[in-house]
Amino acid sequence: MRPSRRVILQGSAGAVAALSLGAFAPAEAAQAVQASSSRRTRLDHDWRFALGHAQDPARDFDFGLDQATYAKAGRKVASAAAAGFDDSGWRSVRLPHDWAIDLPFVANPNPPPVGEDDPKAAHGFKPLGREHPETSVGWYRHTLDLPADLAGKRLSLEFDGAFRDVVVLLNGFIVHEHEGGYSPFRVDITDIAAPGELNVLTVRVDASLGEGWFYEGAGLYRHVWLVATDPVHVPQWGVMVRAEPVGTDARAAVVIDLKNEADPEAVCQVDMRVVDSDGVQVAEDTATTTLAGWNEAQVERTLTWHRVRLWSTGTPHLYRLIAEVRVDGRLVDRYEQPFGVRTAVFDAARGFFLNGQPLKLLGACCHQDHAGVGAAIPDRLQVWRLEQLKAMGCNAYRASHNPPTPELMDACDAMGILVITETRRMASDDAALAELEALVRRDRNRPSVIAWSIGNEEQAIQGTERGARIATTMVRLINQLDPTRPTTAALDQDFGEGVSPAVDILGFNYRTPLMEGYHARVPTQPILGSETGSTVQTRGEYVRDDARHIVPAYDTEHPWWASTAEAWWTLAAERPYIAGGFIWTGFDYRGEPTPFNRWPSVASYFGAMDSCGFPKDNYWYYRAWWRPEPLVHLFPHWNWAGREGEAIPVWVHANVDRVELFLNGRSLGSKDVVANRHLEWSVPYAPGVIEARGFKDGRALAPVRRETAGVASRIALTGDRTRLRADGQDVSMLKVEILDAQGRPVPAAAEPVTFDVSGPARIIGVGNGNPVSHEADRATTRLTFNGLAQAILQTDRTGGSITVTARAPGLRPSTLQLRAA
Ligand code: GAL
């Protein structure tokens, strides 16, 4: 019998379980997490937040006062951890939460001389760090109402990650400390928790120290889960499935960890079933084992079935392994582990192969922040960002330079996006290895993961013997935990030295022209572009203006170490031994405002899309050459008042055979398209209409026009989805565009747009993609930048109809109706 949706969701261990319901259904993913909470409950709501102080205990809720922190268990650790503490003055927040978003941008009081990079630019000019003790520590409080029937269960909290240096207190007791800002951690609270009572969870987060050279956010920017299990259970990440196709069949080696956290011996029966995405069972087996009290064991089985449905980028089929653990016939645990069946091979001479077919990696490097919300990206926004990358033609994602959220990884599994995931620190100290181990254990069942990256541009070690030793230690650990996937490292120099031979695949950050020589020298090592291209562009701008920190959006400007999109891709596209490349970057991100690297720039210019995900012109270059559909993209806009008669460079990114350009109906000639290259004309400006007509296989495509627009007259408000889940998490990505009276986009419009919301939803952040903007992210008003702005609308936990109106002085407003249920 085919189980109903309800049945499938019950007891599933994670978000991906729900995604296997057939076609990818992002709207249902997060809901499933909450609906599936037999073991796990997500603690997103009802948190209170206040800033503490990194130096002064009196302003840090007495944390560290009188050196009393560890003196007596549960005593005097912090006033904020006490049950009776009055937190009514604290802000009420939802997770994920990034408090850096609410901090102002602050210029360096002692900037370096003009011409030099400002070291404060890298992290995006937020007042975080040891120089800013008053804004670098955050405190969170949450009341855990634990039902009485949890008595006798093992209880734990799972943090998907927090930035950074976390002290977790329950009922006033320190229950855990964790430093790394990107790695998940688990806290056993069984001994301290009081089922049947209100339990006070307090978390101190200290973001004083950075781990990256970019904006990193601050606080509980990922989910926190409460996990309740029987004493006999499958521990976190305790199911490993290594599946492979065998002809048209499938074979899956399954290893299940079991834990007995009680005195009595337990005779366990573990029933395993493999279920396909339609919910049809395709294989089953049973194993038994005896677990002594307070002991661990493993059971292993190999399951096989016929007519395998492979996971691929086009059809990302996911199976689930469902493990049910019984003791004396009583069901004590049910653990679901999604997995896929596919082969992924890097060949030094011929590149990457998925399921035996050559597949160029068309990748993007991405950071984990977005306009409006910083590092606290709602799950649906993770999916939305990946949708934009797929629309551009990407089939691969490099998580630079840290493990991403599990929800992003779930979405890559479900959407068929290949991932190179990366640990934050290239180091072999205990903490770094523990983070690496957590990364591999968490993600080793995922079909999307094709390589583990051990690090990025570690100039002090990448070319040295010491680096080789560190890399070898890291690779050894990875191979123990997951012998099925290769390792890689991203280098910017020292190719062939130090860590190079210690990893399977060598990643070239930029330096695409060096790859040919390397391949000739080391023909046995697969290579890929771990960071490629890196044109700097401001969306919608076409003239460099250093005073205003603007770079043109032609594919022309790049840092000295990098290249244009066209330069790297023409090289990589034609060389099969280059497995592919990951552009730097998919989206603009906060910090690293190259080429200016000084106030007032606060965000990067590297993205093919801006920080809101609005395409820049390079997006269309990649889309033309990375996707099969015929495409003609014409730029710049055609509003150049005051420049009449002056030559304007007009570019076309097109993948058709030929393009003819017209100005006000007059042909300016036609040009043949050369693969992977743009077309360019120089056109004396006259207002009106510039038009590109593409021809493919003798057929004319619909013409593409840019028209001289009049003054701003009205607003067009749209949302990517108008039917939302009323779960307090789901979001609609709202876009505002400024149009003239004839409905033409006004390219330079800078209008202060205000969003009014009625109904059960709220705006959680706004943005406009301008790397120089210092406007507040958490606001309901935003200037449009070159005609566009974005607002992120998040639902409440009650359903109903939602009306959003976008208005600006002197413009006709626009209203959008949505529904949450
Ligand atoms: C690379 C680095 C990236 C980013 C980029 C900016 O060297 O790996 O993280 O900093 O440069 O150009």
Side-chain angles (χ1 to χ4, degrees), residues 213-214 365 367 398 400-401 422 424 456-457 459 490 492 509-511 530-531 533-534 536 559 561-562 584-585 589 592 594 604 606:
W213 50 95
F214 39 81
C365 293
H367 278 198
R398 174 170 172 235
S400 48
H401 304 287
E422 187 161 291
R424 179 61 292 282
N456 179 75
E457 289 191 10
Q459 286 91 356
D492 63 330
N509 278 6
Y510 318 103
R511 284 83 179 180
S530 37
E531 285 175 32
S534 213
V536 282
W561 56 86
W584 192 266
T585 42
Y589 53 93
E592 291 207 305
T594 305
S604 84
F606 296 118

Side-chain angles (χ1 to χ4, degrees), residues 345-367:
V345 173
F346 285 87
D347 183 285
R350 297 180 303 151
F352 178 72
F353 287 74
L354 186 67
N355 298 325
Q357 300 298 315
L359 185 70
K360 202 77 157 181
L361 298 175
L362 310 175
C365 293
C366 290
H367 278 198

